């Protein structure tokens, strides 16, 4: 049985392909392994968009159901995660359009799927100040537009390239780069008012590509 063995604990592309091929043939164990490898990351991404645990759980269940119901037509040109996040993103947008409002407390422990903390530069890691800076940054990310927020999450949290993000969001890579630049500019304005110069010491985490 293939288990997540990539450097960050995620499935390699070969492992993922083997699981999908077995799941296409009706292997329930392989299907469960695919779910286990992606469910926390998908939930963290969706929850950050819809800001409701109940809605996030419902969207994730629906996303997996839709993905597995169409698994026979899966295009191996793409990663399973890209396909799954595309479904989750569209369902999240539908949910937000229905509600047309955002509410709920921010639970930062649920944001990182693997429980890892964001890296913080220049010797402030794992300090109270680092935690404060990290929290303030992600609170301000919540004030971005849904597309900008999704772009930031996929780029900094999922380490996707601009092309991969474009596949998820249904837009050209150039538009993704534009969203990233606008999001950074917006965050800079928001953070300067709250943190002064401190925010420049904090990194979002590993980036998926140049932008």
């Amino acid at each position: 049985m293939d288990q997540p063995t990539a450097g960050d604990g995620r499935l390699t592309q070969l492992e993922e392909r083997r699981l999908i091929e077995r799941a296409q043939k009706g292997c329930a164990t392989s299907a469960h392994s695919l779910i286990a490898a992606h469910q926390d990351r998908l939930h963290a991404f969706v929850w950050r968009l819809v800001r409701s645990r109940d809605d996030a759980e419902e969207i994730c269940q629906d996303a997996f159901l839709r993905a597995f119901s169409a698994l026979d037509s899966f295009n191996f040109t793409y990663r399973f995660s890209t396909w799954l996040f595309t479904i989750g993103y569209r369902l999240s947008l539908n949910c937000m359009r229905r509600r047309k409002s955002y509410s709920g407390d921010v639970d930062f422990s649920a944001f990182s799927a693997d429980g890892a903390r964001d890296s913080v530069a220049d010797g402030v890691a794992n300090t109270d100040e680092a935690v404060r800076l990290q929290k303030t940054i992600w609170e301000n990310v919540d004030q971005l537009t849904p597309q900008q927020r999704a772009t930031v999450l996929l780029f900094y949290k999922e380490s996707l390239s601009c092309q991969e993000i474009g596949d998820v969001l249904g837009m050209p890579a150039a538009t993704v780069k534009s969203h990233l630049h606008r999001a950074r500019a917006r965050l800079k304005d928001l953070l300067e008012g709250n943190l002064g110069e401190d925010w420049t010491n904090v990194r979002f985490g590993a980036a998926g590509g140049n932008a």
Side-chain angles (χ1 to χ4, degrees):
M1 172 53 57
D2 294 306
Q3 298 294 332
T5 57
D8 59 358
R10 302 179 185 183
L11 293 173
T12 66
Q13 194 159 6
L14 179 59
E15 290 167 338
E16 180 182 279
R17 184 183 184 100
R18 288 172 175 169
L19 287 174
I20 293 172
E21 289 174 341
R22 292 169 184 167
Q24 288 173 332
K25 296 176 181 178
C27 177
T29 302
S30 295
H32 290 155
S33 294
L34 280 171
I35 293 172
H38 295 91
Q39 61 185 357
D40 288 344
R41 292 161 54 201
L42 179 65
H43 186 275
F45 172 69
V46 169
W47 180 85
R48 176 61 61 174
L49 291 175
V50 301
R51 298 286 297 280
S52 164
R53 290 195 177 279
D54 289 340
D55 287 339
E57 290 177 3
E58 182 177 341
I59 288 170
C60 289
Q61 290 175 2
D62 194 3
F64 276 114
L65 284 173
R66 294 186 184 210
F68 280 98
S69 66
L71 194 62
D72 287 342
S73 62
F74 178 73
N75 184 350
F76 285 99
T77 301
Y78 301 99
R79 292 299 300 265
F80 182 80
S81 58
T82 301
W83 188 43
L84 185 63
F85 274 63
T86 299
I87 299 171
Y89 175 69
R90 291 173 181 171
L91 291 172
S92 297
L93 286 184
N94 290 339
C95 175
M96 289 187 286
R97 290 187 185 113
R98 288 194 301 269
R99 285 197 284 114
K100 294 184 179 179
S101 64
Y102 305 89
S103 62
D105 296 330
V106 178
D107 179 1
F108 289 91
S109 65
F111 180 66
S112 180
D114 59 4
R117 307 175 70 89
D118 289 335
S119 58
V120 181
D122 298 329
V124 297
N126 300 319
T127 65
D128 290 341
E129 182 68 6
V131 172
R132 182 180 75 87
L133 294 176
Q134 175 187 330
K135 181 176 180 179
T136 302
I137 285 173
W138 290 112
E139 283 176 338
N140 281 277
V141 167
D142 289 334
Q143 299 184 44
L144 300 174
T145 67
Q147 284 186 326
Q148 289 175 347
R149 193 156 70 246
T151 301
V152 168
L153 294 173
L154 292 172
F155 189 78
Y156 290 104
K157 283 295 183 182
E158 288 300 313
S159 299
L160 298 188
S161 68
C162 289
Q163 183 59 57
E164 290 170 327
I165 295 171
D167 292 337
V168 171
L169 304 185
M171 61 181 65
T175 304
V176 172
K177 291 183 180 181
S178 177
H179 279 305
L180 277 174
H181 287 305
R182 290 177 183 176
R184 289 166 179 156
R186 175 64 175 153
L187 285 172
K188 182 176 183 294
D189 291 340
L190 292 169
L191 291 168
E192 281 181 343
N194 292 324
L195 299 177
E197 298 298 321
D198 290 346
W199 75 275
T200 59
N201 291 326
V202 178
R203 298 196 301 267
F204 285 101
N210 296 325

